[in-house]
Structures are given as structure tokens and as C-alpha cells.
């Protein structure tokens, strides 16, 4: 696949003597939606966070488009502008209104004009169904609403890739759908997405590929239909029995 | 003089030596009333209004020395306040630098900030005052008030540095990460995302430090600064009304610190109950 927009080669990462990643290689094509599943502690977050260098790999290489993320000379801030990230705990800025949460980075990172950034922020809010919340503060919103704002905030930088680290795990069940719907829309529009999640409905509806990780390694991967119906590895089978 | 005083709200992470062992913390501000305490006979009410009543009654009942004392001594208030305010101003700057230095990833900066904090906190303020006034003052051509302000700022900067550090570290790591993920530099993220959230956490302890500084500013009376205490001493030594002079001085300090403590208490309650809405 020469259309790969993310290329990960033999990524290894240790925290002291904990080996979070033990040689992961993975390519994600432009427009592809890849779901990463695996037990807690298997290295899923570490893998995602290495892509925008919130974690520094111990060894191995990662490219986003044609830029090496892992090179010491990488212009990491420019790369991060291209890579949006959505966290399990939302991490909205509590001292800023919803609108400012979304428009701050475009203004101070990309030097957009304030008016332009606010116009786009309003459009994004409409897209995630929260037009009426522009002036609210994050702690006045439900978890599902906060996560939709967080997605809008990431999209405001007009990224080419979106990383989602368990975006619905901290949500009450009745709020999961509103977030997944936003993600589904994004997937349909052709966004490249790398999603850590165990939402099987989302996997079946949107994922092109599912990657199963365990103990810092990719155990197997394949289209959701195949992987869920007929996993090749015993570890995958056992894990799927737990979550399906 | 620490972030983990008994009235801190629970979200605040205790500074470094957090341990499971029970701790007691006796602060400079034991008299700050819990805001719920409405009783007319609260310790604060008795002390504050009692002190004011005595300040009024004494010159009425015994005009002889007290009217004169009250005319003479308050001149020193100007020096007391100007030393206090200037020292807080410079201590805040030093404290912010020290706090940022303590969390800096650059080893040298981190080391310098840590040494500053450790050294200064290990030397009594009075010794620092003498050191700067008598030893460094002549070298640096500092006059009395300026060297007093320098010493107080350097000393309190170290304590405020620890408050800034603890305040910054109390902000969840996810805030910095979210900002970095959006392409902000570490510095931008610190100024635009982390520090604004820190203000709410550190304002009450900084208020307490300011009150402590107001009290400690009386130490500068030993240098050639005509502050409140020094005015009291001057009056007493010429008239021999020691008891009367120092009673007035003590009462004036008491009224001031009680007043500002109340202010800090109200501010803290306000931040705790309403701060979340930012309106
Ligand atoms: N900052 C860190 N410091 C120390 N250990 C860490 C850190 N982050 C992750 N780990 C460890 O690395 C392993 C993989 O973690 P993580 O990538 O978060 O897994 P997952 O997201 O699949 O649950 C775990 O054993 C975890 O405890
Ligand atoms: Mg994780």
C-alpha cells in the first residue's frame, strides 16, 4: 500500500522494565478506519500516543505522510496539526467556553483570524449537534456532549488523521451512541481514523480493519467480519469471547 | 505556610511528600473563620471587633498617652504597607520563575530553582535580612527599604515558588497533553492552558503568604525602616510608655491581619463554590 498515511515500523517502548510495545508494525491507508482492540495494558494507548509523540519510542520508526515522527529533527508541532486526538477523559479546557475550546488552537497555532476560527468552530458545533452550547463551559455539559466538543476541537485544526483512545469508555451507556454517530459520520466522509475501542457496533459499521493487540504485539488483524467470525489465533478467540 | 493546610479543597494534590501517614498542619492562618461560622461570638468576631473596640476605647478613657501614640505610630503604616506590597510583587515574580524552574525539563534550570528554594527556606528570614542589609546592601548600593524589600522578596519567592509548583502539578496531565496534541508548544500550553487554571488553586495560599509577609514585614524595623513597629519603638523609647505603645502596635497588626484573613477566607469560599462557573 503506497497510499499509507501512517507507517509504523517495529515500534518498541518500555517504561522502566515494563515493555508496553514489543515490536509493532502497522500501516494505515489514507481514508482507512482501523479499530484497535485488546486487553487492558496491551499497549493500545502507548501505540496511539507514539503517533503524535506524546510518548517517545524506545526504538522503531513512525511516519505520518512522508514525515518521520521519530526523527530527532521532526517538526513535531507541524505533524501534530495534521493528527487530531480524542482522549478517553475528554480533556476539554475547563476555563474556556465551548467555542473558545474549539477556536483557541486554530488561532494561536495556525494563526487563523479570531473571526474565521469562531465561524468554523460554530460550523463544527452544528456538525456535532451542539450549536446551542457555544457559550457553555465544559462542566455544564454531559460526558457525551463534552466528548463531541472534544472531537470538534480536534477537527478544528483540519487534521488528516484522527486518533481516538477509548472515546466512549468514560461515558454512561445512554451517551455512547451520540459520540459514535459523530465518529460514523467522520468515517463516511473519508477521514483516516485509528480508533481504540471495544464498540463492536461501530467496528461492524465503520471499520475497514480490526487489529488485535496483546502484550505489546499485534497478534492478528483483518476485516471485522472475518476477525470476529473466525479469529485465527487462540488468544484472539479468548479475548473476543470476553467482549462479544 | 503550605498548600495542604486544613482548609484546602480536597482536589488539590498535596505537595511532594504525600504519604499515607496522618499529618497535622498548623498554619499561620488558624484564625481564618470557616465561612459557615455565622455566630456573633465566633473567635474571629471577638478578636476583630474586640481589637477595634479597644483601639477606640483606650484613647477615650486614657487620652494622656494613647491619643499621642495613635497620632504618632500610624505613620509607620505607610512603610509597612509599601514594604509588604513591593515584596509581594517581586516575590510573585520570583515565585513564578522558581515554580516554573522546579517543573522545567532542563536539568540546569531545575537544579538552580531547587537549590534556590532549599537554600532560602533553610535560612531564617531575619538572618537573610541582616545578610542582605549589612553584607550585600553596601556592595549593591541598596538603601534601607530597598534591601528590606529585596530580602523579603527573595525569601517569600522561595515559598511562593513551592505554591506555584504544587498548583501547576495539581492540574491534570491530560490538559497539557490535549494542548500539545493540538500543536501548541509546551510554553504556549503552559501560559494559555495550565497557568490560568492554576490561579484558582493558588490564590488562597498566596493570600495566606501575603498575610504572613505583612506580619514578617515587622522584622524590617530592625533595619532603618520606619515601619509600624519601629514607630512604636521610637515613641516608647522617648516617652517610656512601653506597654501602651506596643499594645497599640499589636492591636493594629491584629486588626489588619484579621481583616485580610477574612478576605482570603471569603475569596477561597467563593472560588470553591462558584469558581467552577467562571462567571
Ligand atoms: N507513563 C507510563 N509509565 C509507566 N508505565 C506505563 C506508562 N504508560 C503505560 N504504561 C504501561 O505500559 C503498558 C501498556 O499500557 P497502555 O498502552 O496504556 O495499554 P492499554 O491502552 O492497551 O490499556 C501497561 O503495562 C502500562 O502499565
Ligand atoms: Mg489505554
Amino acid at each position: 500500500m503506497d497510499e499509507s498515511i501512517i507507517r509504523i515500523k517495529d515500534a518498541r517502548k518500555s517504561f522502566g522494565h515494563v515493555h508496553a510495545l514489543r515490536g509493532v508494525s502497522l500501516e494505515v491507508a489514507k481514508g482507512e478506519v482501523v479499530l484497535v482492540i485488546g486487553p487492558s495494558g496491551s499497549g493500545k494507548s502507548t501505540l496511539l500516543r507514539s503517533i503524535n509523540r506524546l510518548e517517545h519510542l524506545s526504538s522503531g520508526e513512525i511516519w505520518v505522510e512522508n514525515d518521520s515522527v521519530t526523527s530527532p529533527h521532526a517538526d513535531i508541532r507541524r505533524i501534530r496539526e495534521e493528527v487530531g486526538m480524542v482522549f478517553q477523559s475528554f480533556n476539554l479546557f475547563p476555563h474556556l467556553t465551548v467555542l473558545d475550546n474549539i477556536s483557541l488552537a486554530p488561532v494561536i497555532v495556525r494563526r487563523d483570524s479570531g473571526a474565521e476560527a469562531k465561524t468554523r468552530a460554530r460550523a463544527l458545533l452544528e456538525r456535532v449537534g451542539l450549536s446551542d452550547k457555544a457559550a457553555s463551559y465544559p462542566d455544564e455539559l454531559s460526558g457525551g456532549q463534552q466528548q463531541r466538543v472534544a472531537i470538534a476541537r480536534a477537527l478544528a485544526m483540519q487534521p488528516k488523521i484522527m486518533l481516538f483512545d477509548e472515546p466512549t469508555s468514560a461515558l454512561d451507556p445512554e451517551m455512547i451512541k451520540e459520540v459514535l454517530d459523530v465518529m460514523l459520520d467522520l468515517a463516511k466522509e473519508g477521514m483516516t481514523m485509528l480508533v481504540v475501542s471495544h464498540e463492536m457496533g461501530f467496528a461492524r459499521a465503520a471499520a475497514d480493519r480490526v487489529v488485535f493487540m496483546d502484550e505489546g504485539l499485534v497478534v492478528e488483524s483483518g476485516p471485522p467480519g472475518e476477525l470476529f467470525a473466525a479469529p485465527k489465533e487462540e488468544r484472539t478467540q479468548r479475548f473476543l469471547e470476553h467482549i462479544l | 505556610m503550605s498548600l495542604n493546610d486544613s482548609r484546602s479543597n480536597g482536589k488539590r494534590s498535596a505537595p511532594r511528600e504525600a504519604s499515607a501517614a496522618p499529618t497535622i498542619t498548623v498554619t499561620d492562618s488558624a484564625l481564618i473563620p470557616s465561612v459557615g461560622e455565622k455566630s456573633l461570638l465566633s473567635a474571629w468576631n471577638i478578636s476583630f471587633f474586640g481589637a477595634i473596640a479597644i483601639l477606640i476605647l483606650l484613647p477615650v478613657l486614657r487620652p494622656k498617652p494613647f491619643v499621642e501614640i495613635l497620632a504618632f505610630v500610624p505613620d509607620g503604616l505607610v512603610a509597612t504597607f509599601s514594604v509588604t506590597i513591593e515584596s509581594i510583587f517581586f516575590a510573585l515574580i520570583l515565585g513564578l520563575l522558581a515554580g516554573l524552574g522546579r517543573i522545567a525539563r532542563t536539568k540546569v534550570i531545575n537544579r538552580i530553582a531547587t537549590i534556590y528554594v532549599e537554600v532560602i527556606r533553610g535560612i531564617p528570614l531575619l538572618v537573610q535580612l541582616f545578610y542582605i542589609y549589612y553584607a550585600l546592601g553596601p556592595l549593591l548600593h541598596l538603601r534601607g527599604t530597598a534591601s528590606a524589600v529585596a530580602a523579603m522578596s527573595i525569601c517569600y519567592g522561595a515559598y511562593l515558588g513551592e505554591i506555584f509548583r504544587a498548583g501547576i502539578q495539581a492540574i491534570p496531565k491530560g490538559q497539557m497533553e490535549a494542548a500539545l496534541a493540538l500543536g501548541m508548544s509546551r510554553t504556549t500550553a503552559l501560559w494559555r492552558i495550565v497557568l490560568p487554571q492554576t490561579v484558582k488553586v493558588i490564590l488562597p495560599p498566596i493570600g495566606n503568604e501575603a498575610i504572613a509577609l505583612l506580619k514578617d514585614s515587622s522584622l524590617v524595623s530592625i533595619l532603618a525602616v520606619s515601619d509600624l513597629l519601629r514607630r512604636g519603638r521610637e515613641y516608647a523609647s522617648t516617652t517610656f510608655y512601653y506597654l501602651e505603645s506596643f499594645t497599640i502596635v499589636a492591636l493594629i497588626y491584629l486588626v489588619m491581619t484579621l481583616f485580610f484573613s477574612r478576605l482570603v477566607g471569603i475569596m477561597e469560599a467563593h472560588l470553591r463554590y462558584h469558581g467552577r462557573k467562571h462567571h
Side-chain angles (χ1 to χ4, degrees), chain A residues 49-56 62 64 67-83 109, chain B residues 179-186:
Chain A
R49 293 160 55 82
S50 302
I51 295 170
N52 62 358
R53 221 167 79 183
L54 289 181
E55 303 289 356
H56 286 260
I62 298 178
V64 167
D67 299 312
S68 167
V69 176
T70 40
S71 150
H73 311 292
D75 182 355
I76 191 62
R77 270 152 64 193
R78 221 204 67 246
I79 297 171
R80 282 171 177 161
E81 288 182 43
E82 312 275 301
V83 183
V109 175
Chain B
L180 292 179
L182 287 164
M184 289 183 213
S185 68
R186 210 161 257 287

Side-chain angles (χ1 to χ4, degrees), chain B residues 8-262:
Chain B
S8 326
N9 70 52
K11 275 193 310 192
R12 213 175 281 165
S13 78
R16 72 256 98 101
E17 315 94 337
S19 71
T23 55
I24 57 162
T25 318
V26 179
T27 69
D28 281 334
S29 45
L31 274 173
I32 295 185
S34 64
V35 170
E37 198 182 346
K38 287 273 156 53
S39 156
L40 268 177
L41 292 178
S42 71
W44 188 88
N45 277 346
I46 293 174
S47 322
F48 183 71
F49 294 109
I52 289 181
I54 298 172
L55 273 176
I56 294 170
L57 281 176
L58 284 177
V60 171
L61 298 176
R62 268 191 63 200
K64 175 72 189 59
F66 283 111
V67 171
E68 217 175 287
I69 294 173
L70 274 174
F72 186 84
V73 166
D75 271 6
L77 275 177
V78 178
T80 292
F81 274 119
S82 75
V83 166
T84 302
I85 288 166
E86 286 168 34
S87 301
I88 290 171
F89 176 78
F90 291 113
L92 281 172
I93 295 173
L94 277 175
L96 180 59
L97 290 176
L100 291 175
R102 293 268 279 146
I103 57 160
R105 314 185 124 205
T106 318
K107 268 234 168 64
V108 191
I109 296 177
N110 190 297
R111 217 30 76 72
I112 292 172
T114 307
I115 291 172
Y116 164 61
V117 169
E118 295 298 338
V119 167
I120 295 301
R121 292 204 307 176
I123 302 173
L125 177 53
L126 188 54
V127 177
Q128 290 180 46
L129 278 173
F130 278 12
Y131 197 80
I132 290 182
Y133 187 75
Y134 293 110
L136 295 182
L139 281 178
L140 304 173
H141 301 288
L142 290 176
R143 41 182 194 92
T145 314
S147 60
V149 168
M152 305 277 293
S153 308
I154 291 170
C155 174
Y156 272 81
Y159 290 96
L160 292 183
E162 285 306 273
I163 292 176
F164 276 107
R165 181 192 57 73
I168 291 168
Q169 288 178 340
I171 306 303
K173 233 176 71 205
Q175 292 291 309
M176 172 59 86
E177 289 185 345
L180 292 179
L182 287 164
M184 289 183 213
S185 68
R186 210 161 257 287
T187 312
T188 306
L190 200 61
W191 283 100
R192 303 299 296 259
I193 304 301
V194 177
L195 284 177
Q197 297 181 52
T198 302
V199 170
K200 225 165 57 185
V201 182
I202 64 177
L203 225 42
I206 284 181
N208 287 334
E209 289 299 308
I211 292 166
L213 201 155
L214 173 66
K215 286 187 284 182
D216 280 350
S217 76
S218 60
L219 291 172
V220 307
S221 66
I222 292 173
L223 316 180
V225 181
S226 264
D227 76 328
L228 190 55
L229 178 57
R230 193 181 179 91
R231 291 289 284 180
R233 270 170 57 203
E234 283 168 4
Y235 184 84
S237 59
T238 50
T239 62
F240 301 104
Y241 283 119
Y242 283 102
L243 176 65
E244 293 81 353
S245 303
F246 289 126
T247 302
I248 295 296
V249 168
L251 286 170
I252 294 176
Y253 273 114
L254 184 60
V255 168
M256 291 194 301
T257 51
L258 284 172
F259 174 77
F260 289 117
S261 299
R262 197 3 105 68

Side-chain angles (χ1 to χ4, degrees), chain A residues 168-180:
Chain A
T168 58
S169 308
L171 297 178
D172 294 335
E174 72 272 18
M175 293 173 186
I176 291 176
K177 185 173 176 300
E178 64 191 54
V179 171
L180 291 180

Side-chain angles (χ1 to χ4, degrees), chain A residues 8-152:
Chain A
I8 301 170
K9 209 177 117 200
D10 198 29
R12 292 167 192 270
K13 171 71 180 177
S14 350
F15 298 99
H17 45 250
V18 176
H19 299 289
L21 298 177
R22 298 192 298 155
V24 173
S25 295
L26 182 70
E27 303 214 347
V28 178
K30 206 168 166 124
E32 196 180 13
V33 176
V34 175
L35 197 82
V36 181
I37 61 172
S40 172
S42 56
K44 309 180 296 294
S45 297
T46 305
L47 181 67
L48 238 61
R49 293 160 55 82
S50 302
I51 295 170
N52 62 358
R53 221 167 79 183
L54 289 181
E55 303 289 356
H56 286 260
L57 288 184
S58 306
S59 71
E61 279 172 283
I62 298 178
W63 289 268
V64 167
E65 295 194 289
N66 291 316
D67 299 312
S68 167
V69 176
T70 40
S71 150
H73 311 292
D75 182 355
I76 191 62
R77 270 152 64 193
R78 221 204 67 246
I79 297 171
R80 282 171 177 161
E81 288 182 43
E82 312 275 301
V83 183
M85 186 168 218
V86 174
F87 302 84
Q88 178 176 351
S89 50
F90 327 137
N91 296 347
L92 290 182
F93 307 133
H95 61 302
L96 300 177
T97 63
V98 163
L99 197 71
D100 289 341
N101 261 277
I102 301 172
S103 61
L104 181 69
V107 172
I108 62 182
V109 175
R110 228 177 27 201
R111 314 237 167 252
D112 290 359
S113 79
E116 189 188 336
K118 292 216 155 116
T119 307
R120 193 137 29 74
R122 282 184 206 284
L124 283 165
L125 271 180
E126 181 159 358
R127 182 165 161 194
V128 300
L130 293 169
S131 300
D132 53 332
K133 298 294 184 192
S136 303
Y137 282 87
D139 64 2
E140 297 165 337
L141 305 183
S142 72
Q145 291 171 330
Q146 287 192 51
Q147 195 59 299
R148 285 187 281 157
V149 172
I151 294 173

Side-chain angles (χ1 to χ4, degrees), chain A residues 1-5 7 27-30 65-66:
Chain A
M1 253 193 269
D2 54 339
E3 275 293 282
S4 286
I5 191 167
R7 283 182 292 145
E27 303 214 347
V28 178
K30 206 168 166 124
E65 295 194 289
N66 291 316

